[in-house]
């Protein structure tokens, strides 16, 4: 769909749209597929179930496709004249405005539903990362929030074009195609870099539903069979295991893998960490990594990068961010102040 759209954009910019009016016509129902497919893409990336069948999401595009079929029977020049209103005295005088109004209604309805829904899915996923993983490199989908914002801009431009009735407005369409091209390129570049999204680590995040992410602790665990006594016992065994075995040095540590090592259900471990330590899994594990890194900074002459890697971090950037949040100074400043 994106390839067809870019091809049509190149034709518009080259000034050949009158020779390829049928392709421009085909773009009308295709435009109605972008947001549903983008929503399906994000749903798959964050492990969320798609609400409703894909056919249901495609129905507005199918409707527009049926509506433009009578127009598609004409040659290119006639199609251009029909949309410009140069042909009078036919039922197309009414039919073309109906098509344009339907496009406008669909564009507004889709933008109102899909864009906020995509932002919500990405927000929920960020919370799930903190609850399930001890790292966020190559699983963070912050870049998709930027992409979603860009898509919102594109849709606003599309709505403006439809509202003003300038369906073939040169400057707006060129700007629309350029932004769309940048969006497509960015989507591919950043998407292919998310290596861990397509590994088993991604499956771990499926075990918490979107509904649970915004619940309070009381609501989330009100049906849990884990009582206070057992929770404290599990917490103590977890803390002992952390001190002795140092699983936090594994830079790919997840809630599931730690729970398996402790031989307790992952949801029990999550509840223990959340309720007793008042931290999520990401903060809990990285707290140990920071403590280990502080010892290395004071007792070795290793570079900050080596200290970060030896402490279980995947990148210097994450190490600096987490360390500064916990210690209120950078690793270099901490080493200088305490040596």
């Amino acid at each position: 769909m994106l390839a067809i759209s870019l091809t049509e954009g190149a034709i518009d910019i080259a000034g050949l749209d009158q020779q390829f009016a049928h392709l421009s016509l085909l773009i009308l129902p295709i435009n109605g597929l972008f947001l549903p497919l983008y929503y399906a893409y994000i749903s798959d990336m964050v492990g969320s179930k798609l609400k409703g069948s894909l056919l249901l999401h495609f129905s507005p595009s199918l409707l527009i496709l049926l509506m433009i079929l009578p127009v598609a029977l004409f040659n290119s020049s006639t199609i251009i004249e029909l949309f410009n209103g140069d042909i009078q005295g036919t039922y197309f005088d009414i039919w073309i405005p109906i098509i344009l109004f339907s496009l406008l209604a669909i564009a507004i309805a889709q933008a109102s539903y899909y864009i906020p829904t995509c932002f919500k899915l990405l927000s929920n996923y960020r919370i799930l990362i903190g609850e399930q993983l001890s790292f966020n490199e190559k699983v963070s989908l912050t870049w998709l929030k930027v992409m979603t914002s860009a898509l919102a801009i594109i849709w606003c431009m599309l709505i403006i074009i439809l509202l003003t009735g300038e369906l073939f407005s040169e400057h707006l369409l060129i700007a629309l195609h350029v932004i769309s091209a940048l969006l497509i390129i960015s989507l591919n570049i950043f998407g292919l870099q998310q290596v861990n999204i397509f590994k088993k680590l991604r499956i771990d995040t499926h075990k918490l539903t979107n509904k649970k992410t915004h619940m309070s602790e009381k609501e989330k665990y009100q049906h849990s069979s884990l009582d206070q006594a057992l929770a404290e016992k599990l917490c103590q065994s977890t803390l002992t295991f952390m001190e002795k075995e140092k699983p936090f040095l594994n830079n790919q540590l997840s809630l599931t893998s730690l729970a398996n090592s402790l031989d307790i259900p992952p949801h029990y471990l999550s509840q223990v960490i959340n309720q007793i330590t008042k931290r999520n899994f990401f903060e809990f594990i990285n707290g140990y990594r920071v403590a280990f890194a502080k010892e290395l900074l004071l007792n070795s002459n290793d570079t900050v990068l080596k200290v970060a890697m030896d402490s279980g971090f995947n990148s210097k950037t994450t190490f600096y961010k987490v360390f500064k949040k916990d210690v209120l100074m950078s690793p270099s400043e901490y080493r200088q102040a305490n040596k």
Side-chain angles (χ1 to χ4, degrees):
M1 299 297 106
L2 293 169
I4 293 172
S5 179
L6 282 183
T7 301
E8 197 267 341
I11 289 170
D12 275 347
I13 293 172
L16 302 173
D17 50 298
Q18 291 198 4
Q19 293 94 313
F20 294 92
H22 287 89
L23 181 58
S24 296
L25 200 61
L26 181 62
I27 289 298
L28 301 183
I30 285 179
N31 280 336
L33 296 177
F34 288 138
L35 283 182
L37 285 171
Y38 187 75
Y39 164 63
Y41 174 72
I42 288 184
S43 295
D44 188 59
M45 289 286 273
V46 303
S48 175
K49 289 183 179 179
L50 198 68
K51 292 181 179 178
S53 67
L54 208 54
L55 183 61
L56 178 65
H57 293 279
F58 289 169
S59 56
S61 286
L62 294 175
L63 174 64
I64 296 299
L65 181 62
L66 292 173
M67 292 177 74
I68 66 170
L69 282 179
V71 183
L73 297 175
F74 295 104
N75 59 38
S76 295
S77 59
T78 304
I79 292 173
I80 297 294
E81 289 175 354
L82 285 172
F83 275 95
N84 287 338
D86 297 335
I87 298 178
Q88 302 293 328
T90 68
Y91 84 97
F92 287 105
D93 294 345
I94 299 174
W95 192 242
I96 298 298
I98 290 175
I99 292 175
L100 295 178
F101 178 80
S102 300
L103 285 169
L104 176 62
I106 289 170
I108 292 174
Q110 287 188 333
S112 300
Y113 174 75
Y114 288 114
I115 291 175
T117 301
C118 288
F119 275 119
K120 184 179 179 182
L121 285 173
L122 293 169
S123 179
N124 288 345
Y125 186 75
R126 181 184 59 81
I127 297 172
L128 293 181
I129 288 176
E131 293 184 347
Q132 290 280 301
L133 302 176
S134 66
F135 58 95
N136 54 23
E137 295 84 6
K138 296 187 178 180
V139 293
S140 175
L141 299 180
T142 303
W143 59 278
L144 266 179
K145 284 191 175 182
V146 177
M147 297 297 104
T148 306
S149 299
L151 199 60
I153 293 172
I154 289 173
W155 237 248
C156 286
M157 293 174 68
L158 179 63
I159 290 170
I160 290 170
I161 291 172
L162 293 171
L163 278 172
T164 57
E166 299 177 21
L167 189 62
F168 297 96
S169 172
E170 183 181 355
H171 298 298
L172 276 175
L173 283 175
I174 288 176
L176 191 65
H177 293 314
V178 170
I179 295 174
S180 298
L182 292 174
L183 177 70
I184 295 162
I185 293 167
S186 302
L187 196 63
N188 280 276
I189 291 174
F190 288 106
L192 291 172
Q193 289 177 348
Q194 306 302 302
V195 179
N196 288 328
I197 286 290
F198 304 102
K199 292 183 179 179
K200 185 179 181 297
L201 292 170
R202 180 180 169 208
I203 299 173
D204 292 339
T205 63
H206 295 190
K207 298 188 177 182
L208 291 178
T209 65
N210 289 338
K211 187 178 178 182
K212 289 183 179 180
T213 55
H214 292 297
M215 286 182 175
S216 65
E217 283 187 8
K218 186 176 180 181
E219 291 174 317
K220 192 185 295 186
Y221 303 123
Q222 64 180 344
H223 300 298
S224 174
S225 58
L226 185 64
D227 57 36
Q228 186 64 27
L230 180 56
E232 290 179 359
K233 182 179 178 181
L234 291 178
C235 181
Q236 189 56 52
S237 62
T238 300
L239 296 178
T240 301
F241 184 80
M242 294 294 292
E243 293 293 340
K244 287 185 177 181
E245 303 298 329
K246 295 181 171 50
F248 53 85
L249 297 181
N250 173 10
N251 61 7
Q252 297 287 301
L253 185 67
S254 68
L255 179 74
T256 302
S257 61
L258 180 58
N260 290 339
S261 299
L262 291 164
D263 197 25
I264 61 176
H267 62 278
Y268 274 10
L269 179 59
S270 178
Q271 182 176 344
V272 165
I273 292 173
N274 291 164
Q275 287 188 322
I276 298 181
T277 70
K278 304 301 180 184
R279 289 184 163 195
N280 62 24
F281 183 74
F282 180 88
E283 294 166 338
F284 176 71
I285 297 301
N286 283 292
Y288 278 94
R289 288 172 177 165
V290 168
F292 190 83
K294 286 164 71 175
E295 292 184 17
L296 292 181
L297 287 168
L298 298 182
N299 299 319
S300 74
N301 293 317
D302 293 336
T303 63
V304 172
L305 177 60
K306 189 174 188 309
V307 168
M309 299 299 107
D310 289 346
S311 301
F313 288 95
N314 283 312
S315 72
K316 188 176 180 179
T317 303
T318 304
F319 174 52
Y320 264 85
K321 186 176 180 180
V322 174
F323 192 95
K324 198 162 187 178
K325 183 179 178 181
D326 275 17
V327 188
L328 303 179
M329 62 177 73
S330 70
S332 300
E333 290 170 343
Y334 177 81
R335 171 179 268 172
Q336 189 174 3
N338 292 278
K339 255 195 170 183

